[in-house]
Amino acid sequence: MDDGRPAMEQAVTAAKEPAAGARAAGGRWVPGVRVVAGYRRRWLPKDLVAGLVLSSLLVPQGMAYAELAGLPPITGLYTTVFGLIGYALFGSSRILVVGPDSSLGPMIAAVLITVVGTGADVATTMGLASMLALMVGVIMAVAGVARLGFVADLLSKPTQIGYMNGLAVTIFVSQLPKLCGFSVDGDGLLNEAAGFLRGLASGDAVPAACAVGLVTLAIIVVLQRWLPKVPAVLIAVVAAIAATWVADLGSRGVVLVGPLPAGFPPLSLPHASWSQLVPLLAGAVGITVVSLADTISTASSFAARTGQEIRPDQEMIGVGAANVAASFFQGFPVSTSGSRTAVAEQSGARTQVTGIVGAAVILAMLLLTPGLLRDLPQPALGAVVIAASMSLADVRGTVRLWRRRRLEFLVSITAFLGVALLGVLPGIGVAVGMSVLNVFRRVWWPYQTELRRAPGVPGYHDVRSYPVADRLPGLMLFRFDAPLIFANARVFRDQIRGLARAEPRPRWIVLAAEPVTDVDTTAADMLTVLLAELDADGIVLVWAELKDPVRRKIDRYGLTEAIGPAHFFATLDEAVSAYRAQTGAEWVSSPGPADVPPRPEAAERPTAKGRFPRGG
């Protein structure tokens, strides 16, 4: 088509349009393409500096969290490198940092112990960890493509607080023996705590190890508290290595990291036997739920601070890609990290180039200076993990729950005890179960109340909030704050029966039905029987403010005729006006037997279906 431009210009534009469309499509599914296409040269210095600062945190934490997962420290570096690269390509956040995570470490260790026990060789354990990462990555990516981010809602805030508190205590106790230079064979929080105390009592602690571990922990905690912009972990690790050189800690019984394998991370295919796949899959699902909740909450909070919009489903794809990439290079499951993302943000990071720079620095270290960390004391790594566990605990949040809502506090404590006493994997099951049961409880036993007219306040209000209120004799305004379904049908029926038996007897029971967002078939059957009972007693069940979708369901169930078409009102005011017009009742400030309007004669009394009997 000729649009007035020269033919050559039209041809060039036509050739560019498909390429632009392809880039747009690629940028949607691979946001890293869009970042590269729109990258500004002025961003590069800040991304380089932020990447260098970030790498100082990535190396010691990656090694420490690998050991927390029961794996060699070098796998933490492999995981960090390819997790960063995978997320940089597929993640939607500009600055979010992924990698080994303290909250996933105990879960990974629990899965591996469940599958192969504690005596498996390192190669087998690493292969299973890589398979676990592949499973988590695939589940996460599929969930992102299918837009299943709502699964993260299975962990409510109280259960998240309880789960993280339990995890913090579990991690803290598990690292105490390493901090003191010995190990225990206990499995679970109580056994590990008992083993640690027995080790101390029997003199297994190494004084030099205790000293370097406690000093390292003190440096991290003090600097993070008073100088949050200073790389506390890096300073503590450098100080621990310096202590090794000065005090010859290796000859004093302190275990050192030792030389790391040199060279580029080896490409290896994840593998597991058929009998191992089922427990691995169960563990992968639990890890995915925790990682999903952490990813969406962390990404959303940092996006809000930077004014950026993120796509939760794309975030899941990005973290899934990070896990898949790590799985092919002897890696283990990764998640987002709030602390490392905060470091990147404070250092001026503008894009995911920051993560690529951090990955490049780690690769350069592995290729050029693999012996750089050989003199790092193991107690120092234990201190890094303990410091991370302390940041997981949310004591203030727990206290806030106690003050604001005791029931949710109990939910949080139950999740905490589930993790602390049953273990990490059963604990996540308890946490999810508590969240689901808490939701079900609210539907099963919803809030119910009587409404009355409060003097000087428009509308009709909860008598618990306005105990001094006016009522119409013979009229009961009732609100049921839940969908009417199988779980609460009996509760609703019993409540209406109780209202119908109240003295003085009501003529109308008006249901303020706006909170009733559904009526299922079980509830419909219950209503059929209930309406017949009320009709026999001459009591009318009136519906006000019922939503149209729910009204259509009632029509399909055939309940409209049983209720009476005249007994559906758009508002409570209309229902009250209709009652007053029929009975002549007037508002009174307090109920009493004399306030009940006289019963109309049988020939004039309407049935519960709203139809007056024909006169003779």
Side-chain angles (χ1 to χ4, degrees), residues 22-207:
R23 285 197 301 271
R28 176 173 177 78
W29 293 104
V30 188
V33 173
R34 186 171 63 249
V35 171
V36 172
Y39 198 79
R40 303 289 182 267
R41 186 176 299 177
R42 66 178 182 274
W43 296 345
L44 186 58
K46 291 187 176 182
D47 281 340
L48 286 174
V49 172
L52 291 173
V53 174
L54 181 63
S55 64
S56 67
L57 184 64
L58 295 174
V59 173
Q61 283 194 344
M63 297 172 65
Y65 297 161
E67 291 205 330
L68 180 61
L71 298 165
I74 188 63
T75 61
L77 301 184
Y78 295 161
T79 301
T80 300
V81 169
F82 292 97
L84 289 170
I85 294 174
Y87 182 82
L89 290 174
F90 291 93
S92 67
S93 172
R94 286 184 175 272
I95 64 170
L96 201 67
V97 178
V98 303
D101 188 67
S102 58
S103 63
L104 297 188
M107 298 184 71
I108 297 168
V111 173
L112 297 179
I113 290 174
T114 300
V115 176
V116 294
T118 57
D121 61 272
V122 174
T124 300
T125 304
M126 290 170 59
L128 292 176
S130 296
M131 177 58 75
L132 188 61
L134 180 61
M135 287 181 169
V136 170
V138 171
I139 294 172
M140 187 79 79
V142 170
V145 172
R147 299 183 178 181
L148 299 179
F150 66 88
V151 174
D153 297 335
L154 291 176
L155 284 176
S156 66
K157 187 65 175 179
T159 54
Q160 286 185 51
I161 291 175
Y163 172 78
M164 287 300 178
N165 286 341
L167 204 59
V169 173
T170 300
I171 294 172
F172 184 90
V173 172
S174 70
Q175 295 301 301
L176 287 177
K178 181 186 290 187
L179 193 74
C180 296
F182 65 97
S183 60
V184 298
D185 295 329
D187 182 18
L189 175 66
L190 298 180
N191 290 333
E192 288 181 342
F196 173 68
L197 294 176
R198 285 195 298 268
L200 289 180
S202 60
D204 293 340
V206 178

Side-chain angles (χ1 to χ4, degrees), residues 307-518:
Q308 180 195 358
E309 291 186 5
I310 58 110
R311 290 179 287 154
D313 296 323
Q314 188 64 43
E315 286 300 292
M316 292 156 58
I317 295 174
V319 177
N323 277 280
V324 172
S327 72
F328 289 105
F329 292 91
Q330 298 184 354
F332 51 86
V334 301
S335 183
T336 55
S337 170
S339 62
R340 278 164 280 181
T341 303
V343 168
E345 181 189 45
Q346 292 169 2
S347 303
R350 301 301 299 271
T351 69
Q352 284 296 326
V353 170
T354 295
I356 298 298
V357 171
V361 169
I362 296 174
L363 283 176
M365 186 195 74
L366 293 175
L367 293 172
L368 304 176
T369 58
L372 185 63
L373 299 173
R374 64 183 303 166
D375 293 327
L376 176 61
Q378 287 283 3
L381 289 181
V384 171
V385 175
I386 288 177
S389 73
M390 294 168 65
S391 67
L392 290 177
D394 189 356
V395 178
R396 290 184 179 178
T398 305
V399 173
R400 189 164 55 248
L401 289 176
W402 169 260
R403 291 174 177 172
R404 292 181 177 179
R405 191 160 185 171
R406 299 291 173 85
L407 184 59
E408 292 195 346
F409 169 81
L410 293 177
V411 170
S412 180
I413 293 299
T414 302
F416 166 79
L417 294 175
V419 175
L421 301 180
L422 301 179
V424 177
L425 287 181
I428 185 63
V430 170
V432 172
M434 288 301 299
S435 291
V436 173
L437 285 176
N438 195 29
V439 173
F440 188 72
R441 177 196 60 81
R442 294 178 183 179
V443 176
W444 192 358
W445 295 305
Y447 187 77
Q448 308 162 58
T449 188
E450 180 186 351
L451 305 178
R452 292 186 183 181
R453 191 182 71 171
V457 183
Y460 306 94
H461 303 280
D462 191 338
V463 294
R464 295 183 178 90
S465 300
Y466 295 89
V468 179
D470 300 337
R471 60 181 291 272
L472 284 172
L475 177 70
M476 184 74 69
L477 299 178
F478 172 64
R479 196 181 73 210
F480 189 80
D481 289 353
L484 193 51
I485 60 174
F486 69 96
N488 57 33
R490 182 185 59 81
V491 175
F492 178 87
R493 180 201 64 193
D494 292 347
Q495 186 65 36
I496 295 296
R497 283 177 174 173
L499 295 176
R501 290 193 296 265
E503 291 295 341
R505 290 292 183 93
R507 309 300 322 128
W508 279 21
I509 298 176
V510 178
L511 176 64
E514 186 177 12
V516 180
T517 56
D518 191 17

